[in-house]
Amino acid sequence: QAQLVESGGGLVQPGGSLRLSCTASDEFTLDYWAIGWFRQAPGKEREAVSCISPRAGSSTVYSESVKGRFTISRDNAEKTVYLQMNNLEPEDTAVYYCAAGRVHTDYVCYQGSASYGVWGQGTQVTVSS
């Protein structure tokens, strides 16, 4: 069964950095899938953070709250998508999920969670002094 596993979460001080990884299981050909990162803070709805288009990842999208601080990238050979998070703020505290979805072209990804059918189990990110 195709699976995604997130890692790299933890506790970091404000202004610090973390790199999250989303790794696909062996039976999952990650190349053909758009990948999205989402997060959910306690008491809040899940929100989109970023996404990257399939194959070369030529298209990326960021939410306004993370633009300029977070960078999404993919290494298909390693079956992994990364989310580099810099200048973290307490408001970034949440469980972060990655998800995979099929799109009709290699040049788009979508922020809507309905576009994604395979989800990881999540990794906790806590930003606190």
PDB file of all heavy atoms in Angstrom, residues 40-81:
ATOM      1  N   GLN A  40      -2.028  21.705  10.819  1.00  0.00           N
ATOM      2  CA  GLN A  40      -3.202  21.900  11.662  1.00  0.00           C
ATOM      3  C   GLN A  40      -2.751  22.192  13.078  1.00  0.00           C
ATOM      4  O   GLN A  40      -2.091  21.363  13.709  1.00  0.00           O
ATOM      5  CB  GLN A  40      -4.117  20.679  11.641  1.00  0.00           C
ATOM      6  CG  GLN A  40      -5.436  20.905  12.360  1.00  0.00           C
ATOM      7  CD  GLN A  40      -6.471  19.849  12.038  1.00  0.00           C
ATOM      8  OE1 GLN A  40      -6.143  18.755  11.597  1.00  0.00           O
ATOM      9  NE2 GLN A  40      -7.743  20.173  12.245  1.00  0.00           N
ATOM     10  N   ALA A  41      -3.106  23.364  13.539  1.00  0.00           N
ATOM     11  CA  ALA A  41      -2.801  23.776  14.906  1.00  0.00           C
ATOM     12  C   ALA A  41      -3.966  23.391  15.813  1.00  0.00           C
ATOM     13  O   ALA A  41      -5.104  23.237  15.352  1.00  0.00           O
ATOM     14  CB  ALA A  41      -2.556  25.277  14.957  1.00  0.00           C
ATOM     15  N   PRO A  42      -3.711  23.242  17.111  1.00  0.00           N
ATOM     16  CA  PRO A  42      -4.788  22.876  18.041  1.00  0.00           C
ATOM     17  C   PRO A  42      -5.952  23.859  17.970  1.00  0.00           C
ATOM     18  O   PRO A  42      -5.754  25.076  18.008  1.00  0.00           O
ATOM     19  CB  PRO A  42      -4.092  22.940  19.407  1.00  0.00           C
ATOM     20  CG  PRO A  42      -2.665  22.703  19.114  1.00  0.00           C
ATOM     21  CD  PRO A  42      -2.411  23.341  17.786  1.00  0.00           C
ATOM     22  N   GLY A  43      -7.141  23.312  17.813  1.00  0.00           N
ATOM     23  CA  GLY A  43      -8.331  24.142  17.784  1.00  0.00           C
ATOM     24  C   GLY A  43      -8.567  24.880  16.481  1.00  0.00           C
ATOM     25  O   GLY A  43      -9.501  25.681  16.384  1.00  0.00           O
ATOM     26  N   LYS A  44      -7.736  24.622  15.495  1.00  0.00           N
ATOM     27  CA  LYS A  44      -7.879  25.312  14.217  1.00  0.00           C
ATOM     28  C   LYS A  44      -8.096  24.313  13.090  1.00  0.00           C
ATOM     29  O   LYS A  44      -7.786  23.130  13.222  1.00  0.00           O
ATOM     30  CB  LYS A  44      -6.643  26.167  13.925  1.00  0.00           C
ATOM     31  CG  LYS A  44      -6.447  27.316  14.892  1.00  0.00           C
ATOM     32  CD  LYS A  44      -5.312  28.208  14.449  1.00  0.00           C
ATOM     33  CE  LYS A  44      -5.165  29.411  15.368  1.00  0.00           C
ATOM     34  NZ  LYS A  44      -4.055  30.311  14.927  1.00  0.00           N
ATOM     35  N   GLU A  45      -8.604  24.809  11.982  1.00  0.00           N
ATOM     36  CA  GLU A  45      -8.790  23.958  10.814  1.00  0.00           C
ATOM     37  C   GLU A  45      -7.449  23.719  10.123  1.00  0.00           C
ATOM     38  O   GLU A  45      -6.520  24.520  10.228  1.00  0.00           O
ATOM     39  CB  GLU A  45      -9.775  24.620   9.851  1.00  0.00           C
ATOM     40  CG  GLU A  45     -11.197  24.705  10.387  1.00  0.00           C
ATOM     41  CD  GLU A  45     -12.174  25.202   9.348  1.00  0.00           C
ATOM     42  OE1 GLU A  45     -11.739  25.551   8.233  1.00  0.00           O
ATOM     43  OE2 GLU A  45     -13.373  25.241   9.652  1.00  0.00           O
ATOM     44  N   ARG A  46      -7.397  22.632   9.397  1.00  0.00           N
ATOM     45  CA  ARG A  46      -6.204  22.349   8.603  1.00  0.00           C
ATOM     46  C   ARG A  46      -6.057  23.404   7.513  1.00  0.00           C
ATOM     47  O   ARG A  46      -7.048  23.809   6.900  1.00  0.00           O
ATOM     48  CB  ARG A  46      -6.314  20.965   7.981  1.00  0.00           C
ATOM     49  CG  ARG A  46      -5.119  20.533   7.163  1.00  0.00           C
ATOM     50  CD  ARG A  46      -5.272  19.091   6.750  1.00  0.00           C
ATOM     51  NE  ARG A  46      -6.506  18.866   6.001  1.00  0.00           N
ATOM     52  CZ  ARG A  46      -6.999  17.665   5.738  1.00  0.00           C
ATOM     53  NH1 ARG A  46      -6.381  16.586   6.171  1.00  0.00           N
ATOM     54  NH2 ARG A  46      -8.114  17.552   5.039  1.00  0.00           N
ATOM     55  N   GLU A  47      -4.840  23.842   7.286  1.00  0.00           N
ATOM     56  CA  GLU A  47      -4.591  24.852   6.260  1.00  0.00           C
ATOM     57  C   GLU A  47      -3.452  24.413   5.347  1.00  0.00           C
ATOM     58  O   GLU A  47      -2.546  23.690   5.746  1.00  0.00           O
ATOM     59  CB  GLU A  47      -4.257  26.198   6.896  1.00  0.00           C
ATOM     60  CG  GLU A  47      -2.964  26.231   7.682  1.00  0.00           C
ATOM     61  CD  GLU A  47      -2.556  27.640   8.104  1.00  0.00           C
ATOM     62  OE1 GLU A  47      -3.005  28.622   7.487  1.00  0.00           O
ATOM     63  OE2 GLU A  47      -1.764  27.754   9.050  1.00  0.00           O
ATOM     64  N   ALA A  48      -3.535  24.868   4.122  1.00  0.00           N
ATOM     65  CA  ALA A  48      -2.485  24.578   3.150  1.00  0.00           C
ATOM     66  C   ALA A  48      -1.267  25.435   3.431  1.00  0.00           C
ATOM     67  O   ALA A  48      -1.380  26.611   3.796  1.00  0.00           O
ATOM     68  CB  ALA A  48      -2.991  24.825   1.742  1.00  0.00           C
ATOM     69  N   VAL A  49      -0.107  24.847   3.268  1.00  0.00           N
ATOM     70  CA  VAL A  49       1.154  25.556   3.469  1.00  0.00           C
ATOM     71  C   VAL A  49       1.868  25.782   2.138  1.00  0.00           C
ATOM     72  O   VAL A  49       2.239  26.904   1.804  1.00  0.00           O
ATOM     73  CB  VAL A  49       2.065  24.769   4.430  1.00  0.00           C
ATOM     74  CG1 VAL A  49       3.424  25.443   4.545  1.00  0.00           C
ATOM     75  CG2 VAL A  49       1.409  24.621   5.794  1.00  0.00           C
ATOM     76  N   SER A  50       2.039  24.692   1.382  1.00  0.00           N
ATOM     77  CA  SER A  50       2.785  24.789   0.142  1.00  0.00           C
ATOM     78  C   SER A  50       2.491  23.559  -0.698  1.00  0.00           C
ATOM     79  O   SER A  50       2.025  22.535  -0.186  1.00  0.00           O
ATOM     80  CB  SER A  50       4.283  24.880   0.436  1.00  0.00           C
ATOM     81  OG  SER A  50       5.032  24.991  -0.749  1.00  0.00           O
ATOM     82  N   CYS A  51       2.774  23.649  -1.997  1.00  0.00           N
ATOM     83  CA  CYS A  51       2.669  22.474  -2.854  1.00  0.00           C
ATOM     84  C   CYS A  51       3.680  22.596  -3.979  1.00  0.00           C
ATOM     85  O   CYS A  51       4.190  23.687  -4.274  1.00  0.00           O
ATOM     86  CB  CYS A  51       1.258  22.280  -3.398  1.00  0.00           C
ATOM     87  SG  CYS A  51       0.700  23.542  -4.565  1.00  0.00           S
ATOM     88  N   ILE A  52       3.956  21.441  -4.601  1.00  0.00           N
ATOM     89  CA  ILE A  52       4.927  21.392  -5.694  1.00  0.00           C
ATOM     90  C   ILE A  52       4.389  20.466  -6.764  1.00  0.00           C
ATOM     91  O   ILE A  52       3.802  19.418  -6.470  1.00  0.00           O
ATOM     92  CB  ILE A  52       6.314  20.939  -5.174  1.00  0.00           C
ATOM     93  CG1 ILE A  52       7.374  21.061  -6.257  1.00  0.00           C
ATOM     94  CG2 ILE A  52       6.265  19.521  -4.596  1.00  0.00           C
ATOM     95  CD1 ILE A  52       8.805  20.943  -5.703  1.00  0.00           C
ATOM     96  N   SER A  53       4.579  20.842  -8.014  1.00  0.00           N
ATOM     97  CA  SER A  53       4.060  20.075  -9.133  1.00  0.00           C
ATOM     98  C   SER A  53       4.869  18.797  -9.331  1.00  0.00           C
ATOM     99  O   SER A  53       5.961  18.640  -8.797  1.00  0.00           O
ATOM    100  CB  SER A  53       4.088  20.929 -10.401  1.00  0.00           C
ATOM    101  OG  SER A  53       5.397  21.383 -10.670  1.00  0.00           O
ATOM    102  N   PRO A  54       4.330  17.872 -10.125  1.00  0.00           N
ATOM    103  CA  PRO A  54       5.024  16.586 -10.345  1.00  0.00           C
ATOM    104  C   PRO A  54       6.348  16.729 -11.097  1.00  0.00           C
ATOM    105  O   PRO A  54       6.707  17.838 -11.550  1.00  0.00           O
ATOM    106  CB  PRO A  54       4.022  15.786 -11.178  1.00  0.00           C
ATOM    107  CG  PRO A  54       2.712  16.430 -10.944  1.00  0.00           C
ATOM    108  CD  PRO A  54       3.019  17.886 -10.722  1.00  0.00           C
ATOM    109  N   ARG A  55       7.024  15.597 -11.216  1.00  0.00           N
ATOM    110  CA  ARG A  55       8.277  15.473 -11.975  1.00  0.00           C
ATOM    111  C   ARG A  55       9.300  16.520 -11.528  1.00  0.00           C
ATOM    112  O   ARG A  55       9.813  16.449 -10.442  1.00  0.00           O
ATOM    113  CB  ARG A  55       7.989  15.522 -13.463  1.00  0.00           C
ATOM    114  CG  ARG A  55       7.150  14.337 -13.941  1.00  0.00           C
ATOM    115  CD  ARG A  55       7.022  14.359 -15.453  1.00  0.00           C
ATOM    116  NE  ARG A  55       6.162  13.305 -15.937  1.00  0.00           N
ATOM    117  CZ  ARG A  55       6.605  12.112 -16.316  1.00  0.00           C
ATOM    118  NH1 ARG A  55       7.886  11.821 -16.229  1.00  0.00           N
ATOM    119  NH2 ARG A  55       5.748  11.213 -16.772  1.00  0.00           N
ATOM    120  N   ALA A  56       9.610  17.472 -12.375  1.00  0.00           N
ATOM    121  CA  ALA A  56      10.668  18.428 -12.057  1.00  0.00           C
ATOM    122  C   ALA A  56      10.277  19.445 -10.996  1.00  0.00           C
ATOM    123  O   ALA A  56      11.138  20.193 -10.520  1.00  0.00           O
ATOM    124  CB  ALA A  56      11.111  19.155 -13.322  1.00  0.00           C
ATOM    125  N   GLY A  57       9.035  19.485 -10.631  1.00  0.00           N
ATOM    126  CA  GLY A  57       8.621  20.439  -9.610  1.00  0.00           C
ATOM    127  C   GLY A  57       8.771  21.880 -10.063  1.00  0.00           C
ATOM    128  O   GLY A  57       9.171  22.742  -9.287  1.00  0.00           O
ATOM    129  N   SER A  58       8.437  22.129 -11.305  1.00  0.00           N
ATOM    130  CA  SER A  58       8.648  23.462 -11.855  1.00  0.00           C
ATOM    131  C   SER A  58       7.704  24.515 -11.285  1.00  0.00           C
ATOM    132  O   SER A  58       7.979  25.709 -11.382  1.00  0.00           O
ATOM    133  CB  SER A  58       8.509  23.420 -13.377  1.00  0.00           C
ATOM    134  OG  SER A  58       7.238  22.900 -13.743  1.00  0.00           O
ATOM    135  N   SER A  59       6.618  24.066 -10.708  1.00  0.00           N
ATOM    136  CA  SER A  59       5.668  25.013 -10.137  1.00  0.00           C
ATOM    137  C   SER A  59       5.532  24.765  -8.638  1.00  0.00           C
ATOM    138  O   SER A  59       5.398  23.628  -8.202  1.00  0.00           O
ATOM    139  CB  SER A  59       4.294  24.872 -10.792  1.00  0.00           C
ATOM    140  OG  SER A  59       4.350  25.218 -12.153  1.00  0.00           O
ATOM    141  N   THR A  60       5.583  25.856  -7.895  1.00  0.00           N
ATOM    142  CA  THR A  60       5.386  25.784  -6.449  1.00  0.00           C
ATOM    143  C   THR A  60       4.419  26.880  -6.035  1.00  0.00           C
ATOM    144  O   THR A  60       4.320  27.927  -6.688  1.00  0.00           O
ATOM    145  CB  THR A  60       6.710  25.960  -5.684  1.00  0.00           C
ATOM    146  OG1 THR A  60       7.304  27.208  -6.051  1.00  0.00           O
ATOM    147  CG2 THR A  60       7.683  24.828  -5.998  1.00  0.00           C
ATOM    148  N   VAL A  61       3.714  26.616  -4.950  1.00  0.00           N
ATOM    149  CA  VAL A  61       2.758  27.579  -4.401  1.00  0.00           C
ATOM    150  C   VAL A  61       2.973  27.642  -2.895  1.00  0.00           C
ATOM    151  O   VAL A  61       3.246  26.615  -2.255  1.00  0.00           O
ATOM    152  CB  VAL A  61       1.299  27.155  -4.711  1.00  0.00           C
ATOM    153  CG1 VAL A  61       0.320  28.166  -4.119  1.00  0.00           C
ATOM    154  CG2 VAL A  61       1.071  27.033  -6.215  1.00  0.00           C
ATOM    155  N   TYR A  62       2.865  28.846  -2.354  1.00  0.00           N
ATOM    156  CA  TYR A  62       3.019  29.046  -0.912  1.00  0.00           C
ATOM    157  C   TYR A  62       1.852  29.865  -0.380  1.00  0.00           C
ATOM    158  O   TYR A  62       1.361  30.780  -1.050  1.00  0.00           O
ATOM    159  CB  TYR A  62       4.321  29.786  -0.596  1.00  0.00           C
ATOM    160  CG  TYR A  62       5.556  29.039  -1.016  1.00  0.00           C
ATOM    161  CD1 TYR A  62       6.137  29.260  -2.260  1.00  0.00           C
ATOM    162  CD2 TYR A  62       6.152  28.115  -0.159  1.00  0.00           C
ATOM    163  CE1 TYR A  62       7.270  28.568  -2.654  1.00  0.00           C
ATOM    164  CE2 TYR A  62       7.289  27.425  -0.543  1.00  0.00           C
ATOM    165  CZ  TYR A  62       7.837  27.657  -1.790  1.00  0.00           C
ATOM    166  OH  TYR A  62       8.957  26.962  -2.168  1.00  0.00           O
ATOM    167  N   SER A  63       1.447  29.572   0.838  1.00  0.00           N
ATOM    168  CA  SER A  63       0.466  30.426   1.483  1.00  0.00           C
ATOM    169  C   SER A  63       1.132  31.739   1.867  1.00  0.00           C
ATOM    170  O   SER A  63       2.356  31.814   2.018  1.00  0.00           O
ATOM    171  CB  SER A  63      -0.094  29.745   2.733  1.00  0.00           C
ATOM    172  OG  SER A  63       0.906  29.605   3.713  1.00  0.00           O
ATOM    173  N   GLU A  64       0.333  32.763   2.013  1.00  0.00           N
ATOM    174  CA  GLU A  64       0.878  34.081   2.323  1.00  0.00           C
ATOM    175  C   GLU A  64       1.622  34.074   3.662  1.00  0.00           C
ATOM    176  O   GLU A  64       2.601  34.806   3.837  1.00  0.00           O
ATOM    177  CB  GLU A  64      -0.248  35.111   2.350  1.00  0.00           C
ATOM    178  CG  GLU A  64      -0.786  35.485   0.984  1.00  0.00           C
ATOM    179  CD  GLU A  64       0.284  36.094   0.095  1.00  0.00           C
ATOM    180  OE1 GLU A  64       1.072  36.922   0.593  1.00  0.00           O
ATOM    181  OE2 GLU A  64       0.335  35.752  -1.101  1.00  0.00           O
ATOM    182  N   SER A  65       1.167  33.261   4.584  1.00  0.00           N
ATOM    183  CA  SER A  65       1.764  33.273   5.917  1.00  0.00           C
ATOM    184  C   SER A  65       3.172  32.696   5.952  1.00  0.00           C
ATOM    185  O   SER A  65       3.917  32.950   6.905  1.00  0.00           O
ATOM    186  CB  SER A  65       0.870  32.499   6.886  1.00  0.00           C
ATOM    187  OG  SER A  65       0.741  31.154   6.482  1.00  0.00           O
ATOM    188  N   VAL A  66       3.567  31.925   4.931  1.00  0.00           N
ATOM    189  CA  VAL A  66       4.897  31.309   4.941  1.00  0.00           C
ATOM    190  C   VAL A  66       5.767  31.776   3.789  1.00  0.00           C
ATOM    191  O   VAL A  66       6.959  31.438   3.740  1.00  0.00           O
ATOM    192  CB  VAL A  66       4.805  29.768   4.922  1.00  0.00           C
ATOM    193  CG1 VAL A  66       3.903  29.270   6.047  1.00  0.00           C
ATOM    194  CG2 VAL A  66       4.331  29.254   3.570  1.00  0.00           C
ATOM    195  N   LYS A  67       5.194  32.535   2.888  1.00  0.00           N
ATOM    196  CA  LYS A  67       5.946  32.971   1.710  1.00  0.00           C
ATOM    197  C   LYS A  67       7.183  33.751   2.130  1.00  0.00           C
ATOM    198  O   LYS A  67       7.119  34.638   2.990  1.00  0.00           O
ATOM    199  CB  LYS A  67       5.045  33.824   0.819  1.00  0.00           C
ATOM    200  CG  LYS A  67       5.552  34.032  -0.592  1.00  0.00           C
ATOM    201  CD  LYS A  67       4.513  34.764  -1.439  1.00  0.00           C
ATOM    202  CE  LYS A  67       3.280  33.920  -1.667  1.00  0.00           C
ATOM    203  NZ  LYS A  67       2.300  34.584  -2.567  1.00  0.00           N
ATOM    204  N   GLY A  68       8.321  33.382   1.530  1.00  0.00           N
ATOM    205  CA  GLY A  68       9.579  34.037   1.858  1.00  0.00           C
ATOM    206  C   GLY A  68      10.321  33.389   3.008  1.00  0.00           C
ATOM    207  O   GLY A  68      11.495  33.688   3.243  1.00  0.00           O
ATOM    208  N   ARG A  69       9.647  32.512   3.745  1.00  0.00           N
ATOM    209  CA  ARG A  69      10.293  31.822   4.867  1.00  0.00           C
ATOM    210  C   ARG A  69      10.443  30.323   4.616  1.00  0.00           C
ATOM    211  O   ARG A  69      11.394  29.709   5.082  1.00  0.00           O
ATOM    212  CB  ARG A  69       9.482  32.033   6.150  1.00  0.00           C
ATOM    213  CG  ARG A  69       9.338  33.480   6.555  1.00  0.00           C
ATOM    214  CD  ARG A  69       8.681  33.604   7.929  1.00  0.00           C
ATOM    215  NE  ARG A  69       7.313  33.068   7.952  1.00  0.00           N
ATOM    216  CZ  ARG A  69       6.905  32.107   8.779  1.00  0.00           C
ATOM    217  NH1 ARG A  69       7.744  31.558   9.637  1.00  0.00           N
ATOM    218  NH2 ARG A  69       5.641  31.697   8.743  1.00  0.00           N
ATOM    219  N   PHE A  70       9.488  29.729   3.907  1.00  0.00           N
ATOM    220  CA  PHE A  70       9.493  28.295   3.649  1.00  0.00           C
ATOM    221  C   PHE A  70       9.840  28.043   2.183  1.00  0.00           C
ATOM    222  O   PHE A  70       9.482  28.830   1.305  1.00  0.00           O
ATOM    223  CB  PHE A  70       8.119  27.683   3.924  1.00  0.00           C
ATOM    224  CG  PHE A  70       7.717  27.635   5.380  1.00  0.00           C
ATOM    225  CD1 PHE A  70       8.411  28.313   6.364  1.00  0.00           C
ATOM    226  CD2 PHE A  70       6.603  26.899   5.752  1.00  0.00           C
ATOM    227  CE1 PHE A  70       8.035  28.267   7.689  1.00  0.00           C
ATOM    228  CE2 PHE A  70       6.192  26.828   7.079  1.00  0.00           C
ATOM    229  CZ  PHE A  70       6.910  27.520   8.044  1.00  0.00           C
ATOM    230  N   THR A  71      10.513  26.914   1.938  1.00  0.00           N
ATOM    231  CA  THR A  71      10.849  26.504   0.576  1.00  0.00           C
ATOM    232  C   THR A  71      10.546  25.024   0.411  1.00  0.00           C
ATOM    233  O   THR A  71      11.012  24.205   1.209  1.00  0.00           O
ATOM    234  CB  THR A  71      12.324  26.758   0.263  1.00  0.00           C
ATOM    235  OG1 THR A  71      12.633  28.142   0.459  1.00  0.00           O
ATOM    236  CG2 THR A  71      12.631  26.373  -1.185  1.00  0.00           C
ATOM    237  N   ILE A  72       9.777  24.696  -0.616  1.00  0.00           N
ATOM    238  CA  ILE A  72       9.459  23.298  -0.918  1.00  0.00           C
ATOM    239  C   ILE A  72      10.335  22.846  -2.078  1.00  0.00           C
ATOM    240  O   ILE A  72      10.619  23.614  -3.005  1.00  0.00           O
ATOM    241  CB  ILE A  72       7.955  23.139  -1.250  1.00  0.00           C
ATOM    242  CG1 ILE A  72       7.562  21.669  -1.296  1.00  0.00           C
ATOM    243  CG2 ILE A  72       7.581  23.860  -2.538  1.00  0.00           C
ATOM    244  CD1 ILE A  72       6.046  21.451  -1.389  1.00  0.00           C
ATOM    245  N   SER A  73      10.776  21.599  -2.015  1.00  0.00           N
ATOM    246  CA  SER A  73      11.595  21.038  -3.094  1.00  0.00           C
ATOM    247  C   SER A  73      11.367  19.535  -3.124  1.00  0.00           C
ATOM    248  O   SER A  73      10.817  18.957  -2.179  1.00  0.00           O
ATOM    249  CB  SER A  73      13.075  21.364  -2.874  1.00  0.00           C
ATOM    250  OG  SER A  73      13.540  20.783  -1.666  1.00  0.00           O
ATOM    251  N   ARG A  74      11.811  18.913  -4.198  1.00  0.00           N
ATOM    252  CA  ARG A  74      11.629  17.469  -4.316  1.00  0.00           C
ATOM    253  C   ARG A  74      12.862  16.816  -4.889  1.00  0.00           C
ATOM    254  O   ARG A  74      13.561  17.409  -5.729  1.00  0.00           O
ATOM    255  CB  ARG A  74      10.392  17.133  -5.154  1.00  0.00           C
ATOM    256  CG  ARG A  74      10.414  17.546  -6.604  1.00  0.00           C
ATOM    257  CD  ARG A  74       9.023  17.368  -7.239  1.00  0.00           C
ATOM    258  NE  ARG A  74       8.580  15.986  -7.150  1.00  0.00           N
ATOM    259  CZ  ARG A  74       7.287  15.620  -7.119  1.00  0.00           C
ATOM    260  NH1 ARG A  74       6.334  16.534  -7.171  1.00  0.00           N
ATOM    261  NH2 ARG A  74       6.966  14.342  -7.045  1.00  0.00           N
ATOM    262  N   ASP A  75      13.113  15.593  -4.447  1.00  0.00           N
ATOM    263  CA  ASP A  75      14.188  14.754  -4.961  1.00  0.00           C
ATOM    264  C   ASP A  75      13.534  13.419  -5.305  1.00  0.00           C
ATOM    265  O   ASP A  75      13.368  12.551  -4.442  1.00  0.00           O
ATOM    266  CB  ASP A  75      15.287  14.592  -3.911  1.00  0.00           C
ATOM    267  CG  ASP A  75      16.480  13.809  -4.424  1.00  0.00           C
ATOM    268  OD1 ASP A  75      16.313  13.036  -5.400  1.00  0.00           O
ATOM    269  OD2 ASP A  75      17.556  13.951  -3.844  1.00  0.00           O
ATOM    270  N   ASN A  76      13.154  13.266  -6.560  1.00  0.00           N
ATOM    271  CA  ASN A  76      12.409  12.065  -6.954  1.00  0.00           C
ATOM    272  C   ASN A  76      13.245  10.802  -6.821  1.00  0.00           C
ATOM    273  O   ASN A  76      12.708   9.729  -6.540  1.00  0.00           O
ATOM    274  CB  ASN A  76      11.883  12.217  -8.372  1.00  0.00           C
ATOM    275  CG  ASN A  76      10.844  13.309  -8.496  1.00  0.00           C
ATOM    276  OD1 ASN A  76      10.057  13.557  -7.572  1.00  0.00           O
ATOM    277  ND2 ASN A  76      10.832  13.998  -9.630  1.00  0.00           N
ATOM    278  N   ALA A  77      14.536  10.912  -7.030  1.00  0.00           N
ATOM    279  CA  ALA A  77      15.409   9.744  -6.886  1.00  0.00           C
ATOM    280  C   ALA A  77      15.392   9.230  -5.452  1.00  0.00           C
ATOM    281  O   ALA A  77      15.484   8.021  -5.215  1.00  0.00           O
ATOM    282  CB  ALA A  77      16.825  10.088  -7.310  1.00  0.00           C
ATOM    283  N   GLU A  78      15.275  10.158  -4.507  1.00  0.00           N
ATOM    284  CA  GLU A  78      15.199   9.786  -3.095  1.00  0.00           C
ATOM    285  C   GLU A  78      13.755   9.585  -2.642  1.00  0.00           C
ATOM    286  O   GLU A  78      13.520   9.290  -1.466  1.00  0.00           O
ATOM    287  CB  GLU A  78      15.863  10.862  -2.235  1.00  0.00           C
ATOM    288  CG  GLU A  78      17.363  10.986  -2.472  1.00  0.00           C
ATOM    289  CD  GLU A  78      18.114   9.740  -2.052  1.00  0.00           C
ATOM    290  OE1 GLU A  78      17.722   9.100  -1.050  1.00  0.00           O
ATOM    291  OE2 GLU A  78      19.091   9.381  -2.748  1.00  0.00           O
ATOM    292  N   LYS A  79      12.802   9.781  -3.553  1.00  0.00           N
ATOM    293  CA  LYS A  79      11.380   9.615  -3.240  1.00  0.00           C
ATOM    294  C   LYS A  79      10.970  10.508  -2.064  1.00  0.00           C
ATOM    295  O   LYS A  79      10.183  10.123  -1.205  1.00  0.00           O
ATOM    296  CB  LYS A  79      11.044   8.160  -2.941  1.00  0.00           C
ATOM    297  CG  LYS A  79      11.410   7.205  -4.061  1.00  0.00           C
ATOM    298  CD  LYS A  79      11.214   5.752  -3.696  1.00  0.00           C
ATOM    299  CE  LYS A  79       9.780   5.342  -3.714  1.00  0.00           C
ATOM    300  NZ  LYS A  79       9.237   5.273  -5.065  1.00  0.00           N
ATOM    301  N   THR A  80      11.523  11.718  -2.054  1.00  0.00           N
ATOM    302  CA  THR A  80      11.311  12.598  -0.907  1.00  0.00           C
ATOM    303  C   THR A  80      11.013  14.023  -1.366  1.00  0.00           C
ATOM    304  O   THR A  80      11.612  14.517  -2.322  1.00  0.00           O
ATOM    305  CB  THR A  80      12.558  12.604   0.001  1.00  0.00           C
ATOM    306  OG1 THR A  80      12.794  11.266   0.475  1.00  0.00           O
ATOM    307  CG2 THR A  80      12.351  13.512   1.203  1.00  0.00           C
ATOM    308  N   VAL A  81      10.093  14.646  -0.658  1.00  0.00           N
ATOM    309  CA  VAL A  81       9.812  16.067  -0.818  1.00  0.00           C
ATOM    310  C   VAL A  81      10.161  16.748   0.495  1.00  0.00           C
ATOM    311  O   VAL A  81       9.863  16.232   1.567  1.00  0.00           O
ATOM    312  CB  VAL A  81       8.338  16.305  -1.186  1.00  0.00           C
ATOM    313  CG1 VAL A  81       7.988  17.787  -1.141  1.00  0.00           C
ATOM    314  CG2 VAL A  81       8.037  15.727  -2.562  1.00  0.00           C
TER     315      VAL A  81
END
